[in-house]
């Protein structure tokens, strides 16, 4: 057999759709091959919990939608089990919505940048147009003005709290937007970080507005990023077409087993205690940052992270040298932004040591 020295040269590029050829993949925090000792770049929880599997036989296919998990999660959020679809992370919920409701090459989504990158990547993957609006519009304009700018978008993504800025939109404003778009668009509220400000959730709108979807995850506050478990919440009529395109067995037996345990009453109480601790540590970090002469701007917002603008982006390289890994961003056209996940006290002490060092240099 003839050995091929260059696989890419042999692949017929004509087989690749144009939108995929032009696609810029989402760059997750873990896709960057970095080294360090303090990991504060992926908005993960610093807490760990051991789970013992209750299932020991895996020769049968799993329940596509494990009832025990649906019952537990619906009770947790105050909905009916029929209003919940379990997915492989909230990311699968995003993909399902685009794939179900948008026709490639015809329909569009609306988003408010800067925001979570998977909305754009998913739309680009499915050849769906993107109406990129601004966070400033979402925060400052009234619902009527926002809906005018949304235009004919089929899906309107509102990341709430927003990643990476932490900005929040009141549920009353989301309700107004949903009301005005009731016959033309679905309002998708991504609540990956809502456990850090639960009073601001839009879940209660689901029973009042047929075009509201809420995305949730166990990755953040529940400290199960490695499990890849999410939930799509909506009225049953909206979820019906999603169930048609859902993969036959999206949830493994192992994932369902651990998710059900994580949603026990005692584990939910433990999660809430941990959230309280993390919110307190976040307030401490924000104070350090505001007092530092090396920091230009600190964004106020919700979530288990703080986003800031450095006066000199060289400070990021200094952090890497110390083994402290945080997430750099280009925001508002400038490349000196940084997002710091809230870790435990020891991890944040490493951030404080880095901050003291760069502040001293900045004097």
């Amino acid at each position: 057999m003839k050995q091929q020295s260059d696989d890419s040269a042999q692949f017929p590029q004509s087989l690749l759709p144009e939108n995929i050829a032009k696609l810029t993949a989402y760059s997750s925090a873990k896709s960057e091959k970095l080294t360090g000792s303090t990991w504060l770049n992926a908005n993960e929880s610093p807490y760990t919990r051991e789970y013992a599997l209750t299932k020991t036989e895996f020769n049968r296919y799993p329940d596509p939608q494990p009832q025990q998990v649906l019952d537990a999660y619906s009770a947790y959020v105050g909905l009916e089990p029929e209003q919940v679809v379990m997915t492989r992370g909230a990311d699968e919920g995003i993909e399902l919505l685009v794939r179900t409701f948008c026709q490639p090459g015809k329909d569009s989504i609306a988003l408010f940048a800067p925001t979570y990158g998977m909305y754009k990547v998913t739309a680009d993957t499915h050849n769906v147009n993107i109406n990129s609006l601004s966070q400033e519009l979402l925060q400052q304009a009234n619902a009527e003005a926002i809906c005018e700018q949304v235009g004919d978008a089929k899906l309107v993504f509102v990341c709430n709290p927003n990643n990476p800025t932490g900005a929040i939109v009141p549920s009353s404003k989301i309700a107004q937007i949903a009301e005005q778009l009731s016959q033309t668009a679905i309002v998708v509220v991504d609540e990956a970080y809502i456990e850090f400000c639960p009073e601001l959730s839009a879940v209660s709108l689901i029973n009042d507005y047929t075009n509201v979807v809420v995305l949730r995850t166990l990755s953040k506050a529940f400290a199960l990023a490695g499990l890849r478990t999410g939930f799509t919440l909506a009225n049953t009529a909206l979820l019906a077409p999603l169930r048609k395109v859902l993969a036959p067995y999206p949830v493994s037996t192992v994932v369902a087993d651990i998710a059900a345990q994580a949603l026990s009453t005692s584990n939910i109480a433990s999660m809430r205690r941990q959230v309280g601790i993390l919110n307190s540590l976040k307030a401490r970090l924000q104070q350090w940052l505001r007092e530092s002469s090396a920091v230009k701007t600190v964004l106020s917002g919700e979530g288990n992270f703080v986003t800031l603008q450095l006066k000199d982006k060289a400070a990021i390289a200094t952090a890497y040298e110390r083994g402290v890994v945080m997430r750099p961003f280009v925001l508002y056209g400038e490349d000196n932004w940084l997002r710091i996940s809230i870790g435990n006290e020891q991890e944040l002490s490493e951030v404080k040591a880095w901050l003291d060092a760069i502040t001293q240099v900045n004097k």
Side-chain angles (χ1 to χ4, degrees), residues 62-339:
D63 185 342
Q65 289 291 291
Q67 195 62 47
Q68 185 180 6
V69 181
L70 298 184
D71 290 344
Y73 200 80
S74 61
Y76 168 63
V77 295
L79 295 174
E80 297 299 321
E82 295 77 17
Q83 296 172 300
V84 179
V85 168
M86 188 176 180
T87 58
R88 291 166 287 198
D91 288 340
E92 187 180 26
I94 296 168
E95 196 273 341
L96 278 171
L97 288 162
V98 171
R99 187 151 55 100
T100 302
F101 292 103
C102 296
Q103 295 185 57
K106 177 182 177 182
D107 291 326
S108 65
I109 68 166
L111 52 81
F112 301 91
T115 192
Y116 183 42
M118 278 305 296
Y119 310 139
K120 181 180 186 307
V121 170
T122 303
D124 286 342
T125 300
H126 291 280
N127 197 23
V128 170
N129 295 321
I130 300 166
N131 182 5
S132 185
L133 305 172
S134 70
Q135 276 289 315
E136 182 180 19
L137 174 73
L138 181 62
Q139 296 296 321
Q140 299 182 9
N142 60 30
E144 183 176 0
I146 292 169
C147 292
E148 285 181 5
Q149 294 295 313
V150 162
D152 59 359
K154 278 277 193 76
L155 301 171
V156 180
F157 285 93
V158 179
C159 191
N160 208 39
N162 185 53
N163 177 20
T165 65
I168 274 286
V169 181
S171 58
S172 57
K173 189 171 187 177
I174 293 173
Q176 293 168 359
I177 294 171
E179 176 69 30
Q180 295 204 30
L181 298 176
S182 61
Q183 300 302 310
T184 58
I186 296 168
V187 180
V188 185
V189 188
D190 186 343
E191 293 189 344
Y193 300 93
I194 202 64
E195 274 82 12
F196 296 93
C197 49
E199 69 282 359
L200 299 174
S201 175
V203 165
S204 63
L205 301 181
I206 287 172
N207 288 324
D208 297 324
Y209 298 93
T210 58
N211 62 330
V212 169
V213 176
V214 173
L215 300 176
R216 291 286 194 93
T217 182
L218 298 187
S219 295
K220 310 302 182 184
F222 279 90
L224 285 171
L227 197 65
R228 305 307 301 127
T229 300
F231 300 92
T232 300
L233 317 176
N235 69 81
T236 56
L238 191 153
L239 291 180
L242 260 71
R243 296 181 192 277
K244 290 182 180 180
V245 299
L246 190 65
Y249 303 103
V251 182
S252 77
T253 301
V254 172
V255 168
D257 190 347
I258 296 174
Q261 295 178 52
L263 291 166
S264 69
T265 300
S266 61
N267 279 341
I268 289 174
S270 176
M271 176 274 291
R272 287 171 173 156
R273 287 193 297 271
Q274 292 169 359
V275 164
I277 295 170
L278 292 174
N279 280 342
S280 295
L281 291 173
K282 176 181 177 178
R284 187 186 306 176
L285 175 59
Q286 287 174 319
Q287 181 180 349
W288 294 341
L289 293 169
R290 292 188 180 109
E291 292 172 351
S292 172
S293 59
V295 176
K296 183 177 181 179
T297 307
V298 181
L299 299 184
S300 60
E302 305 295 338
N304 64 335
F305 57 88
V306 177
T307 300
L308 61 130
Q309 185 179 28
L310 293 160
K311 290 183 178 178
D312 184 354
K313 73 171 185 177
I316 299 173
T318 302
Y320 288 147
E321 291 170 2
R322 302 174 70 97
V324 181
V325 183
M326 299 168 284
R327 188 81 190 270
F329 275 96
V330 175
L331 290 182
Y332 310 112
E334 298 184 274
D335 63 357
N336 56 343
W337 288 86
L338 188 66
R339 189 191 67 196

